[in-house]
Every structure is written in C-alpha cells, then in structure tokens.
Amino acid sequence: MTKKSLDHVLKEYIDGIKSIYPKADYLFSNDTLFIVVPKEKLRDVTEFIHNKMDCYLRTCLGSDERPLLGHFALYHIFGDDRNGLNIVVKTYLDPKKPVAPTIMDIVPAADWCEMEARDLLGIEFEGRKQYRLVLPVGWPDNLHPLRKDVPYNIRPRPSAVGERITPPKTATATIPVGPYHPALHEPEYFELYVEGETVVDVKYRGFHVHRGIEKLGESRMNYQQVNFLAERICGICGFVHSTCYAQAVEKAAKIDVPERAKFIRSIVLEIERIHSHLLWIGVAAHLLGYDTGFMHAWRIREHIMVLAEFLTGSRKTYGINLVGGVRRDINEDKKKQAIEVLDKVEKDYMEYLKALLAVPEVKKRATETGILPKEDARKLSVVGPTARGSGLDRDVRRDVPYAAYNYVDFNVPVYDSGDNLARLLVRADEVIESIKIIRQLLDQLPKGPIMAEDFEIPENRAAVSLAEAPRGEDIHYIITGDGRPYRWKVRAPTYQNIPALKVMLKGAPLADAPLTIASIDPCFSCTDRIYVINETSARKIVRIGIGLCPG
Amino acid sequence: MSEYIKKSIWVFHLNTGSCNACDIEILDALTPYFDAERLGVKLVVSPRHADALLLTGPITYESLPKVIRAIEAVPRPRFILALGSCAVGGGIWHDTYSTIGGVPELLKILKNRGIEVDGVYYVPGCPIRPEALIYAVGILKGILQKKVKMRVRKAIA
Amino acid sequence: MSEDKPATSRSTILKALEIALKTGRVTRKYPFAEPLITDEFRGRIEIDEEKCIGCGACVLACPPNALELIEENGQRMIKYFIGRCIYCWRCIDVCPVNAIRGTRDFELATDNIDDLVDIVVHDMVKCSSCGSAFMTIRQKIYVIKKAPLTENYIDKDPKCRREKTLNALLKRRGGVMKYE
Amino acid sequence: MSLDFINAGLVLSSITTLLFIVPILDSIERKVKAAIHSRIGPPILQTWYDIRKLFAKKLSVIPNPFHVVFFLFLYMMLSIMSITYFITAVLVPMWNSIMVLIILITILQTTFIVLPFVTSNPFAIIGATREVLLVLVNEIVFFIAMALLIFFSGETYLSSLPYIHPTPAYLILAAILFIVGYVSCGRQPFDIAEAEPEIASGILVELTGPLLGVFVYANLVRRALFKLIPVYVLIAPFTGSNMYALITSLIILPILWVIYAGLAALFGRSRVDIAPVSLLKLYSILFSITIILYLVFK
C-alpha cells in the first residue's frame, strides 16, 4: 500500500466523522487513528465506521481516567484489515454516573465487551439488557475492580463463596457435572440441551478463569513484569500474548526493536504454533476415540517441546520476551539442532497424518459435522483456523505483518467446506507451513543485539497491537502510564469464535459435540466470557465441560 | 488402606483457573515419552472414581464451590496434588481480587467446612514438567524421597 | 507441499501399526532413568548467602512476589518461596553481586508446604542518630567499596540524612529552627 | 466315575484360573495398546491392583442405593454363573443345552443394560440408551447365529460340538459369533456407551469405590465369556474331544484378547446412529453367505 492511498483512506475516515461531528479531535499514530467524539454522537460514528466503512469491531473497553482527566473513558476499537488500519473511538463519560449508549444493535459483537466494562468499571449501557458477566456470583454490586480507587487485592467476603453451591437441576445429585466434566482441561462449560441424541440448544457458561489479569498489570507490576503476566494469560499460546503486549508498548513508546530480536520472536511464535496444533490434533483424535492418534501426535510434539526448552529455557511459558527485545539468543549450535529437530518432526508428522486420516471413524465423523457456512463465518467475524476452514482468507501474519513475518514466504491454507475436517486440515497444513517459516527465519537470522538499548516509555501514549495466535488474531490495547500500563486490554481469539459454536452445534448429534466444540480450539484461559442464549424446550440437559485450548 | 492406593492411583484433573500450561503438561505425562500409566496412574473422568485430585490454578472464586463439590465426591481415602506455582502458592496472581491464592487457602476453607483430606502434595513448577508430576507420584507411592527442606540461612557480615 | 495433500494420500488403518513398529518404545523410565531435560532448562534459583547483600533488587524484579523482603527485630530476611516462583530468572538478571544462581532442579514436590521456603537472614545497620535499622551490614560494605566517600554519612538512614542536610542548610542561612 | 472326577476337577480349576486370569488379561490388553502407542504401559497385575484398590475405598452415598447394589450383584452373579455354566456344559453332558446358555446370556445382558438406568444419572442413561441400540442388533444376531448353529449341526448340546463335521456355513457362523463377541466387549469403534469425552464413561459414571470394583470385575468376566464362546464353537469340531476343546479354547483366549486389543487400538469411536446400521449391513451379508454356503454344500 502506498503512502498516498493511506492518506486517502484516512481522509475518507476523517471527513466522514467530521460530517457527523465537526469538532471531532483526531490523531494518527503508527497505524492507528484516534478519534474523540461525545457520547451523543457515538452511535452515529459507530454506524459510519462499521456499516459504511465496513470495518469490524476488534473490541471495546472502559477506562477509569478520573485521576488524569476527571472522566471515565470508553474506547471502541475498530479494525480495517484491507488498509492495515485501526480506528479507536474515544468517548468521555460522566465521572459520577458513567452512562453510555449501547452499540450492540449496530455491532452485535459488542455484547460481551460492553458487559465486561459494566462489571469491571461500572459503566451502564443504555438501551440493552444488562447482566453480570465477568465477576463471580455474590460479588458486591457497587464494587468495580478496574476503577483506580479500588485496590487490586481487595477480597470482599471470601467466606461467603462457600454458600454459593447451587443444587443441580436434575437428579444428578452429588456429581459435580458442569465445569469439571469429561474432556477435562478447562473449567468453562457448555450446557447442551439434547433431545434424544440430538443437540437442540447450547448454553455457554464461563468466566471460571477470571484471574484479574488486567488489574494486576495496571497496579502491582511494572512494564517488564507484565510480559511474564501476559505470557500466563494462556499456557498454550502465551508467547503470542507476551509478544503482542511487548509490541503494543514498543509501538506506543516508539521503541526500535533490533531485527534479531524480531526474528527470534517469530521463530518462537511458530514453534508455539506447531506445538499448539499438534496438541489439538492429538486431542481431536482422542475425542474421536482414537487414542493411538492422540499418543503419536503427542509423541511427535514432544520433540517440539524439548526444542522449545532448548531455545528458551522452559517447555512452556517461555519467558524470553521483554519490552524492547528478547532475553535469549539463538546461537549456531542451537540453530543446527533446531533444524535437525524440525526435519525429524516433519518426517514423522507427514507419516502420522496419513495414518490419522486413514482411520475410517476420523474421516467419517469429521466430514460434514459442525458445519459453519461462509456467510455465518463472515457475519460473526470468526478468526484463525475457524475462519480459514470456512473459506475466509484472513491471517494477521500476512495481512498486517508484525515481527519478522514480512521476511518470509508462506501459504495460508484455506478450505471451503466449513466442517470439522476442514478445520482439522487447516491446522494440519499450518504445521507444515510453520516448519517452512522457521527454516526461512533461521536461514536469514540477522546479526546484532537482541535487546534495544536505553529507552524511555512516555506516559499517556496508546497503541493497538495484533498477532496471529494458533487460534486466531490476538489484540492488545495499551495506554501507557507511570512505570506500568495505565490501561491494558486483551482480546483473545476464542472470544470471537465462541458465538459460531451455536451455529455449528444446533441439530448435530451429541456424539459430535465434543469434536465440534474442540474444533474452534477454544481457549478459555484467554477468553473468560459468557455467552447466554434463551433456554428452549429441551427435555434433558447434558452439561459438557470441554476444555481445551484444546486441549 | 492407603497402601493399596500406592499401586493404583486414579487421578481426576481440575483446572481451577490455571493458564492451561500445567494442564497440558499433565496430559503430556500420560503420553509415550513419560507414560505415567506404568506407575499405575490413570486419568479418570469422574471425581467419584478418583483417589487423587490434580488441582492446577490459583482457585478463582467462581471455581471454588465446584472444587469443594468435587473434593466431596471423591471417596476416601482422598489426596490432593497441588500442581504448579499457582496451586501451591497462588502464583503470579496470588493476591488478586478474584482468586483465593492457592491450595493452602483452600485447605483452610475445607477445614472450616469439616471436609477431610488424607494427604496433600505440593508440586511447584511454572508450568510443572511432566517429570515433576511423576516425581510427586513417586513420593506418593513411597518410592522416592522428597529433596526440599525449609532453609533459613544467616548471612554473616 | 500443498500438492501432496495428506488427505488425498492412500493409506490404511494398519499405517498406525507400521509407525508403532518403526518407532518402538520411546518412554524414558524416569524416575529410574534420566529425565528428558536440556541444559537450558530454568529450574529453581539458589541464593548464595555468602554473596547476597540483601539489597532487594531481586524482590523488586520478581513478577509473582516469590521473593519477599521482610524486616523485623533489626534483621532483614530475603524470603524465597519456591511454591510461587515462576522460574523466569529475572532476579538473576538484576542481582548486582551475582549472588543468585539458576539450577536445573525441578524435583521439588513435597507434602509440607513449609519445605518450599528458603530464607536468607541479614543483620542490619542501625542509624547512628535515630537508631532505626535501615540497611544490611553487607549492603553498607558494598556501598562503601563502590563509592568510598559515602563513609561519612552512610551510618544514618535516609530520613535522618535528609534531616541533617536540611538542618545544615537552615543553619547556614542563619535560621535556628530545627527541621522536623 | 473316575472320568467324572477328572471332569469336576477340570471344571473347578478352569473356572478358578479364568476368574483369576481375567484381570491379568485386561492388563495385557492395556500393555498391547501401550505398545502400539510406543510406550511401556502398566504392570501385568495392574488391573488386579486397581480392583483391590477400589475395594479398599470407602463407600459413598449414591441415589437409589438399593436398586444399584441389587442389580450390580445380580450382574456379577450372572456373569460368573454364565461362565461357570459354559465350562460345565462343555465338559459334562447333562442338561447342557445351548438354549440354557442363550437364556442365561439374555438375562445377563438385560441386567447390564438395566443397571445404568437405575442410577438415574443423565450420562449413564444416555450411555445405556446407546447400549440398548447396539445390544438389540447384536443380541438378535447372537440368537440367530446360535439357532442356525443348532440347525446346521443338528446338535443342541455344547458338549457335542467336538464330534460334528465343520461345514463352511458352520465356520462363517463361528465368524459371526466372533464379531458379536467383539462388539459385546465394547471396544472401538463400538465403545459408544462408554464414550468418555461426551458422556463421561456413561454407564460407569455413578458407581464409586467397591461398587465400581464389582462392576469392573463382572464386566471383565462377561467379556471373557463373549470371547470364549466363539473360540470354542470354532475349534471344537477340529479337536474331537470336549476336554481338548476346552483346554485349547482357554489357551487361545489370551491370544484372542491380544488381537482384539490391537484391533481396538487402530479404530476410532463410531456413533450411535452409524454403528448399529453398519453392523446390520455386515451381519446381513454374512448371514446371506452362510445360507448360500449351506444350500450349496448341503
């Protein structure tokens, strides 16, 4: 994209917004257009950006800026991937009684993030049904943990928690069905309403893993410590989160990261992707009752885990990202070993894949199940392999290159059928692409330092950063503060994909539900949100706790 | 009674707010390179079948009641294995508003409610290596000895 | 790569058997054999009580507060709680005297949580004017070695030092009031 | 008289050996699967350790305790009785009609299906419903195969089978019985009733401690019975003596167990709407072949 066309696009946005609100303030920094509008004009501006300019909502967030400006602020972040642009719309809200207009009827995807802002900051949204989303049951109504006057370690009524045990609706008696059921792994759960063996409705219950990460990053920690916190948002795709965070700060502070550090980041990111996809393929095989497939996928994956440990010092949560660069270098010896491991893994993996797809049950049960048509996929704006399995060709690594991805050449596998098999094949192909990418990166690894020298992070700068996690695009938004982020917001890919499950599951056999749920590779540690639908006439309730960041 | 359990340890895994890293390492401990099954470990799907609960994560308020219910469902003798730094000491979020800060806090709550547990094992690691889980199983089985001990050392000026 | 789509390749269910035969048994017999660990693994840290000066730089850097600084009865304790450590080794990066060493130790399981505590106790220097303890003796030695001229005022804690400076300033200006 | 004495001794020793060896065979199955997974697997006595451990656990409260305990013990008694009856019937040529065996097995299967229903757990009930669908197909095929067996061989006694001439149709019938046996054992792809990911091992989910121990053990005995019957039917005509036939079957049993284990490791799990249909197709083809062969070689 040339400079001229960017200017042109920007002018289009600014003119459009000026025509709605002539006094709108705007600022263009990095790849992000920041606009301030009053709350009365918010809905019109949203409509313009979302409907006229065909952007999609990345996320929205509230922020307590009373100590700075005497107001609450509400940010809506929109994305324009065709031009690689982010548009941040800021609205000031009353410091005493923050009330904002909802945009949920214009942008359905704003449902969860509005409710999250309500829970965490006490911002009320007019014109929609409001409910508790994030905080546990029994949490005091007027206590909003993300407000700056609330300490991060406040623990109201810890003893009251025990009283919240609700007896199960059916005669399941003492069995803790629900969050900790069959396919282990993660405590979020789905209630599948079934008639006979057919799923008639789905209800997702979540937020068991809400750990107060954003508040922690804004209060107890400093810039460098947050890297380690971000990595622990998710234990499977954690490095994406820490990279995304580090990039956001680097963008906001305009820090020049050495090329070598960028390469190392990309290499580790791709290693993480291979591990994540192999893990998922193994679990998918297990869900189909094919344990041999599970074991061998994880056997091959073990080489990657050992390689990750050899390169970074830990099998998972690698802990090598810092704002400004990385902590561990890749020397010639490591490079050689990495290539050896990759060769072996590629060979074993190709063979394994043949074996897996030869099993009749795997093919039969993955084909034509859990179908997500392309139109639905586009409407719900799903991301990652879920989108690519439904024929949407989008990948942040290629569309908005970050780290060292603009130095490599790779394919983005896309399948059109939208069923579980398509999503399986997308991941299967991506493993091979990732191996290809790592080879290229190792080959071109530039010389130089791995850490930027002496930099300062100025206050009150903001940036949006994107990264392609194994499950889709990851978004971090940051406002810098004194020694630590003033506001830090994370949007994980699973957030975008979960609503698609309803489409995939309805009317499908119960036996396919675990695979279908797993097929979006949900990562609840990252997501932590709730999807609520109306309970319809269902005879039996089966609660299924599928975990999985796929696992 | 618990002698018999040493030969056959059925475990039920609860994620109580962990980041998944420990959880995938638990699964990894069952896979070919580590094969916990050779030590009699089996991952079961209901706490009613279990002998030991594998807890990962700092125990969020939202998951606490469910954890307590799961512990109650395990027939005695029952054990708890606190896996990973989050479960042992609350980890990086040991003092945030939405967690209780690890298994030691959970044990206090259990004690108040009169729920007995026959043994608790702490396995630090972030995440735990699969070998660390196998090591803990070895201690539970009595074939290994613990290596760590509280240390207080004086720095002599 | 994409021309040879694995989905289309012909194969039977016996392929798995072939892989199994070719691979053989891969299990490491840990704990009876060596673990699957590389030299780069970050395990528990080890504080060298001979070198540690008790400055607390590691405590400030530690993301999960596994390292804590506790002061009581004229003693300062650096408390390392292994059970909360995330093994990031940031403390090793920031230690000014290289007193912290990383190990590959992961065999840390125990049935008693107190086993996971490691404390280094430092004696502290008392302020020559107000008597409150404010730094460790080792820290004082370190500072004097690094910056010899500090000997004159190192005995006072920062509060008393400021007081002294301010009083001196006031005196010079002819004032008699004492800074409180 | 002396022969009867030997027979009685043989019956007793085979039954005790079988009852002891069945959990070991299960451990071997786990080891075989582990080998295909490229790992070591559990020790050879692991299933015994598991059962012993389960009996050492405290009993916790369950819904419908009376019904559950009643059906559970009925199930265990019936599995042990059926296998005892089978071995006795093979050796002792008195009231040993195949019909009695069929009736016993029918009651056994019915108890097996009823058990999860009385635990009134939604997972168990879904599991049981699936089992019913599968058993309906399988059990009927078992009846037909046994009936044809009686018809073709002209014998209604198990102990007479070693003295008949094996026709091709007879051998195909034996093959059908092998498939019935495999399906009854709940192995992949027919483990739909115990599907762990979607219904938490279905029928097992409510049982705990010693009750689970009883169920696990009884289930193993039942599985042994369903392997023993086809083996005996297949090899009996080639041995010429019921004592040899029994001993050979007992020797073949572990081998068959290992083969089944290996097979199960190569398949995934089928689905409740697919499995019975594909089974039906398979069985109809095999039955047609049987009848054609019978007519051709008559």
Side-chain angles (χ1 to χ4, degrees), chain D residues 31-261:
Chain D
K31 258 198 128 55
V32 170
K33 281 186 179 160
I36 296 178
H37 297 164
S38 291
R39 57 192 176 93
I40 294 176
I44 216 88
L45 282 174
Q46 187 59 48
T47 306
W48 267 124
Y49 293 149
D50 289 349
I51 293 173
R52 192 180 64 177
K53 188 272 314 276
L54 285 172
F55 278 97
K57 299 278 280 187
K58 273 213 183 104
L59 204 57
S60 45
V61 190
I62 44 166
N64 293 340
F66 175 74
H67 291 103
V68 171
V69 171
F70 173 78
F71 279 101
L72 206 53
F73 279 90
L74 187 67
Y75 179 48
M76 181 158 91
M77 292 312 298
L78 278 168
S79 9
I80 293 174
M81 244 168 78
S82 311
I83 209 155
T84 312
Y85 177 80
F86 176 75
I87 288 170
T88 323
V90 164
L91 289 176
V92 189
M94 284 185 301
W95 37 267
N96 62 4
S97 157
I98 291 176
M99 286 313 291
V100 179
L101 186 70
I102 291 177
I103 292 167
L104 262 179
I105 286 178
T106 313
I107 306 174
L108 172 66
Q109 291 289 65
T110 316
T111 328
F112 174 61
I113 291 168
V114 168
L115 184 64
F117 280 111
V118 296
T119 61
S120 67
N121 175 302
F123 290 124
I125 290 169
I126 290 186
T129 327
R130 291 177 174 191
E131 191 67 48
V132 169
L133 277 168
L134 208 55
V135 162
L136 269 180
V137 174
N138 221 27
E139 200 73 346
I140 289 168
V141 168
F142 181 73
F143 287 147
I144 301 173
M146 282 304 212
L148 284 178
L149 202 69
I150 294 170
F151 180 65
F152 291 167
S153 60
E155 296 286 349
T156 57
Y157 297 103
L158 281 168
S159 54
S160 318
L161 289 183
Y163 307 106
I164 61 157
H165 176 69
T167 59
Y170 179 90
L171 294 180
I172 301 274
L173 277 183
I176 293 180
L177 285 181
F178 271 100
I179 299 173
V180 171
Y182 185 87
V183 176
S184 278
C185 294
R187 290 200 167 80
Q188 276 97 342
F190 305 107
D191 57 337
I192 51 173
E194 284 175 31
E196 176 202 289
E198 63 249 38
I199 50 172
S201 289
I203 44 185
L204 298 173
V205 71
E206 193 74 20
L207 303 171
T208 160
L211 296 181
L212 183 63
V214 168
F215 183 83
V216 167
Y217 185 71
N219 220 10
L220 288 176
V221 173
R222 186 179 67 97
R223 287 177 176 199
L225 176 72
F226 273 104
K227 289 191 186 80
L228 213 48
I229 294 175
V231 175
Y232 177 77
V233 169
L234 179 70
I235 62 152
F238 299 100
T239 52
S241 143
N242 40 18
M243 197 192 290
Y244 287 147
L246 179 70
I247 293 171
T248 327
S249 324
L250 287 179
I251 292 168
I252 292 179
L253 180 68
I255 301 169
L256 186 69
W257 207 299
V258 167
I259 295 172
Y260 278 13

Side-chain angles (χ1 to χ4, degrees), chain A residues 171-172 175 177 181-182 197 286-292 295-296 359 361 365 369 509-512 514 542-544, chain D residues 36-39 120-123 126 130 188-189 196-200 205-206 265-272:
Chain A
T172 47
I175 295 193
V177 275
H181 226 21
E197 286 259 355
H286 169 73
L287 292 175
L288 290 169
Y290 183 52
D291 277 346
T292 309
M295 290 290 179
H296 282 285
V359 176
E361 282 74 26
R365 290 188 52 190
T369 56
L510 172 65
D512 289 332
V542 174
R543 295 173 184 177
I544 294 213
Chain D
I36 296 178
H37 297 164
S38 291
R39 57 192 176 93
S120 67
N121 175 302
F123 290 124
I126 290 186
R130 291 177 174 191
Q188 276 97 342
E196 176 202 289
E198 63 249 38
I199 50 172
V205 71
E206 193 74 20
L266 298 179
F267 284 105
R269 187 180 306 107
S270 190
R271 218 165 56 193
V272 67

Side-chain angles (χ1 to χ4, degrees), chain A residues 304-321:
Chain A
I304 295 290
M305 299 301 279
V306 175
L307 175 64
E309 182 192 306
F310 184 62
L311 294 181
T312 68
S314 185
R315 292 166 56 88
K316 260 321 297 172
T317 52
Y318 307 131
I320 63 164
N321 253 338

